[in-house]
Amino acid sequence: MSSFGGLTIAVSGLFAQQRSLDTTGHNISNVNTPGYSRQNAIHASSMPQAVGYNSAGVRMQKGTGVDVVLIQQYRNEFLDNKMRRANKELGYWESKQMGVEELEAIFNDFSEEGIQSAMDNFWSSWDQLSKPTGRLTARALVKESAIALVESVKHADQLLKNYRVSKDNEIKDTIDRINNITKRIAELNELVLKVEGSGAYANDFRDERNVLLDELSSLGDIQVIHGKSVTVLMEGRAVVDYANYEELQAVPDPDKNGLVKLEWESDGSKVTIQHGKIKALFDTRDALVDKFRVRLNEMVKGLANEINKIHSSGYGIKDNIQRKFFINKGNPDSDDIDISNIAFNPELNDFDNIAAAMDIPPYNHEDNRIVLKILELRSKSVFTQEEYDESLGRYGFDEYYRNIISDLGKIGMEASITAEAQNVMIRELDMKKGAIMNVSLDEEMSNLIRFEHSYNASARMINVMDEMLDILVNRLGITGR
């Protein structure tokens, strides 16, 4: 065996400890990097070398040092998959909770500008008109409160339309993000295979890919198949397959007045996302908004119809013309009045035309029977749980509107409670993952000291071997010359 063998062994130890120190430093540098998995340099004995036979004829071997055989990444694939299944539920409920909160702000029932406040003022103005005094002022108040109520419901309707457009834009942005993620995962698949094809481990590329997979799992329902590269399935189609990826596209839907629907870009086939944030965005944009806008519209239709039936049967104090109180702005002769076209009858801008009496003028100044009938409407049961139906009505105007707000609150509470429950589950899973993959500074500092001592010992061994070789080369056999 060569006399330089001991030096080779010492150098292998020096390089191995240097690699471990580098890995420890990499861990410490990335202690706050999201999604980073701690790494460890795995050491193994080098291939031993035969050194002949002992006196008993037994073949002997001599160690040749140490090799770094692997930079190991600490990660648990089972926990990753479990986390992604939980992510799709969390993504759905958090997005739905946010959507409901935005809807609650639109109805804004706790402010003076809210619909409930406008309705209260409207009924109060009729109450004032029913009293003997202050008739002119009360008529002006009826007009102003009616206009304010119309503006409140139309403003809410416009906000609901804006809300749908906002959610539609959010859907487009989320689809763009999904496409960016799948494209990057495909690129990372290629990079991982290229690096690992040479025998190395692409740990940092794998970390980036796993972070993107976690994010993607919150946006929709995905399945991840691990192999030499990852294959990602969404709604039964491979959105990532090695370096290939499939994009989604948001295209206008004529059945939804130009709001978007989803298609696969490659063949134009329709896509329906069943889980995650995308599902919540479609649910809030369509079903949720439609449900509460329809119910609000039913209230407006009921109010206009019931008020008009009574008001058009009475008279003002100026002439014997019977007039509607609310009209269809686009077609004043039509009785089809809803939230999109309701308006205060401009003929009533002359306060004297507001009907309070059942008798024909001029001797009807003290007649307030029409007003009293209108006041009775407030508690008249003309609504079912969902719609205006005078024959099956169980709720009055105030109760019906409170039911709308109450139902919206229940949906919001359900979303909030479920989102919080999912957050608790995610935190527990994150703690379990963290115990495996997160960097512990205390542990890394301990490793730093351990590898430093080993490095120093290897360096000291090199010095010893150098001294031995110096004696062998420069001093051996020169005595007596």
Side-chain angles (χ1 to χ4, degrees), residues 276-309:
K277 181 180 178 181
I278 286 290
K279 168 69 171 171
L281 289 174
F282 274 101
D283 283 354
T284 51
R285 188 198 72 176
D286 298 334
L288 196 62
V289 171
D290 284 344
K291 176 180 180 179
F292 288 98
R293 185 180 183 276
V294 165
R295 291 176 69 179
L296 183 61
N297 188 44
E298 288 294 308
M299 188 186 77
V300 171
K301 287 162 67 175
L303 182 68
N305 189 52
E306 293 295 325
I307 293 284
N308 281 348
K309 278 196 299 185

Side-chain angles (χ1 to χ4, degrees), residues 127-156:
D127 185 57
Q128 289 295 321
L129 185 57
S130 70
K131 297 175 182 178
T133 57
R135 286 296 177 86
L136 182 61
T137 303
R139 287 174 186 273
L141 190 60
V142 167
K143 172 197 169 184
E144 296 303 324
S145 65
I147 291 174
L149 178 57
V150 169
E151 289 178 349
S152 291
V153 295
K154 291 183 78 68
H155 179 62

Side-chain angles (χ1 to χ4, degrees), residues 150 153-154 157 161 293 297 300-301 304 326-332 334-344:
V150 169
V153 295
K154 291 183 78 68
D157 185 45
K161 292 177 182 177
R293 185 180 183 276
N297 188 44
V300 171
K301 287 162 67 175
F326 293 112
I327 62 167
N328 181 323
K329 188 174 182 179
N331 183 7
S334 172
D335 291 327
D336 183 17
I337 301 174
D338 59 27
I339 197 170
S340 65
N341 58 40
I342 188 172
F344 178 71

Side-chain angles (χ1 to χ4, degrees), residues 121-240:
N121 292 335
F122 178 71
W123 297 119
S124 295
S125 68
W126 285 104
D127 185 57
Q128 289 295 321
L129 185 57
S130 70
K131 297 175 182 178
T133 57
R135 286 296 177 86
L136 182 61
T137 303
R139 287 174 186 273
L141 190 60
V142 167
K143 172 197 169 184
E144 296 303 324
S145 65
I147 291 174
L149 178 57
V150 169
E151 289 178 349
S152 291
V153 295
K154 291 183 78 68
H155 179 62
D157 185 45
Q158 184 60 50
L159 289 177
L160 289 173
K161 292 177 182 177
N162 295 343
Y163 174 88
R164 296 190 75 174
V165 172
S166 172
K167 289 300 171 186
D168 200 58
N169 290 332
E170 196 171 346
I171 288 170
K172 295 176 187 176
D173 292 341
T174 306
I175 293 303
D176 287 342
R177 180 57 185 159
I178 288 175
N179 289 336
N180 289 335
I181 289 174
T182 54
K183 179 181 179 182
R184 181 56 182 164
I185 290 174
E187 292 172 352
L188 288 168
N189 274 344
E190 197 168 16
L191 290 171
V192 168
L193 281 178
K194 187 178 294 184
V195 171
E196 296 186 352
S198 63
Y201 280 80
N203 292 327
D204 294 321
F205 287 148
R206 285 176 172 269
D207 280 341
E208 183 184 352
R209 187 173 65 185
N210 279 312
V211 168
L212 293 174
L213 287 170
D214 289 344
E215 182 183 353
L216 186 61
S217 68
S218 70
L219 304 180
D221 186 10
I222 66 169
Q223 293 175 278
V224 181
I225 302 172
H226 293 273
K228 291 184 178 180
S229 62
V230 298
T231 299
V232 183
L233 303 179
M234 179 180 284
E235 302 304 327
R237 185 176 292 209
V239 290
V240 178

